[in-house]
């Protein structure tokens, strides 16, 4: 035996990975062979399944979880001259859709513990021009829904819930999407369930559902065989049957996905141990197993560690790290609108120091142990190099 032989490298662990079973792959093949590959019976079946999941509320599907929010704003009547309050810690789409409908985004800082929008800051930001709030459920953790809707009712505001990451989450035993106003979900590839790309919008009534249908397909409404009219400016946002059949397959094990992610999150806490934060200066996420679907497991790095250095060192361990998110108000597009550093200090700190650890359906507890060991080793190395 060659004593110089090195052990094979451990496989690469991405921070996220979709799981598509063989039955779903076969169902996609059937759709492709059927000849009906755009919006058709599978979209209708998927919408019915989602409606049942959300307690019978109307649901319409779309080709992204971005257009869902823009359409929700239009349904709510939001446009030029209106202000919409949201969080600076989200994917850029959350704020961009406000600009897209001609309204003005207003940011409120985040709670440093939950990392969601601070509802006290939301109420302080309300003006006579405020027409809506877009809360974001970061990592799948909802805000205090009771407080959110009390504020909305008090000030006569619409709520468009950016629940892109929150399918499977709940508030006091009720599924996110089964309560509230307009609720937007994403089925993009790194979400807990996926349609490759896509999303859905949970609506309040049949009238809103019909309007959503118009907005997603060029504003067209049809009567009979040859009757057609256009009375709103719509776009091309419909979901395909190919995407819908993937979603149908994913929904069959949504509960199993949620439970497995919660078990992995719990194992992360166990492996990090009770003294990790005090010893390193890092911050673990809130230990919420009642409401969150654990879409993300994020830690906040201590101030002395640069995120790029940490990510580079983790890659040496063959582990992929993400971060969610850079502060929206510091992007050039928003600086040009008057936002600047120092306006939202909690968002800016977390936006600089947050990292997302691997968490997905096929991840194992052994993988979690490998990640935690690497995190501790890298932090030890970087802390020593900074001393």
């Amino acid at each position: 035996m060659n004593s110089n032989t090195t052990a094979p490298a451990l496989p690469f662990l991405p921070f996220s990975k979709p799981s598509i079973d063989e039955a779903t792959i076969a169902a996609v093949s059937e759709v492709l062979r059927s000849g009906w590959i755009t919006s058709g019976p599978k979209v209708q079946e998927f919408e019915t399944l989602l409606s049942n999941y959300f307690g019978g509320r109307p649901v319409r599907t779309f080709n992204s979880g971005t257009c869902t929010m823009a359409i929700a704003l239009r349904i709510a009547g939001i446009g030029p001259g209106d202000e919409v309050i949201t969080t600076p810690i989200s994917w850029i789409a959350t704020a961009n859709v406000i600009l897209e409908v001609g309204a003005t985004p207003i940011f409120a800082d985040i709670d440093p513990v939950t990392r969601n929008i601070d509802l006290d800051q939301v109420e302080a930001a309300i003006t006579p021009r405020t027409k809506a709030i877009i809360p974001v459920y970061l990592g799948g953790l909802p805000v205090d829904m009771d407080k959110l809707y009390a504020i909305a009712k008090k000030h006569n505001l619409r709520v468009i819930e950016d629940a892109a990451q929150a399918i499977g989450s709940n508030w006091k035993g009720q599924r996110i999407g089964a309560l509230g106003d307009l609720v937007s979900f994403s089925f993009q590839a790194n979400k807990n369930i996926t349609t490759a790309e896509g999303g859905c919008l949970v609506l309040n009534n049949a009238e809103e559902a019909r309007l959503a249908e118009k907005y997603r397909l060029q504003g067209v409404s049809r009567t009979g065989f040859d009757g057609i009219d256009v009375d709103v400016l719509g776009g091309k946002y419909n979901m395909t049957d190919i995407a819908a059949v993937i979603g149908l397959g994913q929904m069959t094990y949504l509960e199993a996905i949620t439970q497995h992610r919660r078990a992995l999150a719990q194992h992360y806490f166990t492996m990090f141990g009770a003294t990790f934060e005090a010893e390193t200066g890092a911050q673990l996420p809130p230990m919420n197993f009642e409401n969150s679907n654990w879409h993300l497991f994020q830690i906040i790095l201590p101030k002395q560690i640069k995120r790029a250095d940490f990510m580079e060192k983790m890659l040496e361990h063959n582990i992929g790290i993400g971060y969610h998110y850079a502060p929206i108000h510091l992007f050039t597009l928003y600086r040009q609108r008057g936002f600047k550093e120092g306006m939202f200090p909690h968002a800016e700190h977390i936006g600089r120091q947050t990292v997302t650890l691997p968490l997905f359906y096929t991840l194992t507890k052994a993988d979690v142990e490998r990640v935690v060991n690497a995190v501790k080793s890298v932090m030890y190395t970087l802390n020593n190099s900074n001393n």
Side-chain angles (χ1 to χ4, degrees), residues 208-230:
E208 287 185 349
R210 284 191 294 271
L211 190 52
E213 291 171 4
K214 291 180 184 180
Y215 280 128
R216 76 178 173 186
L217 199 58
Q218 309 294 2
V220 170
S221 57
R222 298 178 185 275
T223 54
F225 285 107
D226 64 349
I228 185 172
D229 192 18
V230 175

Side-chain angles (χ1 to χ4, degrees), residues 70-132:
I71 288 170
L73 286 166
R74 291 190 173 103
I75 289 171
I78 308 300
D82 297 332
E83 294 177 350
V84 179
I85 301 172
T86 193
T87 170
I89 293 294
S90 181
W91 181 233
I92 185 67
T94 304
N96 280 359
V97 294
I98 300 170
L99 295 178
E100 186 180 336
V101 300
T104 301
I106 303 295
F107 296 112
D109 207 354
I110 61 174
D111 181 299
V113 176
T114 67
R115 307 162 195 179
N116 280 329
I117 195 167
D118 184 328
L119 294 176
D120 290 332
Q121 295 293 322
V122 168
E123 189 154 30
I126 293 171
T127 75
R129 295 175 60 188
T130 306
K131 295 297 186 291

Side-chain angles (χ1 to χ4, degrees), residues 264-286:
L264 291 176
Q266 182 64 68
H267 199 53
Y268 265 120
F269 284 110
T270 299
M271 295 308 301
F272 276 120
T275 61
F276 172 75
E277 292 179 309
E279 291 172 350
T280 64
Q283 181 185 340
L284 295 173

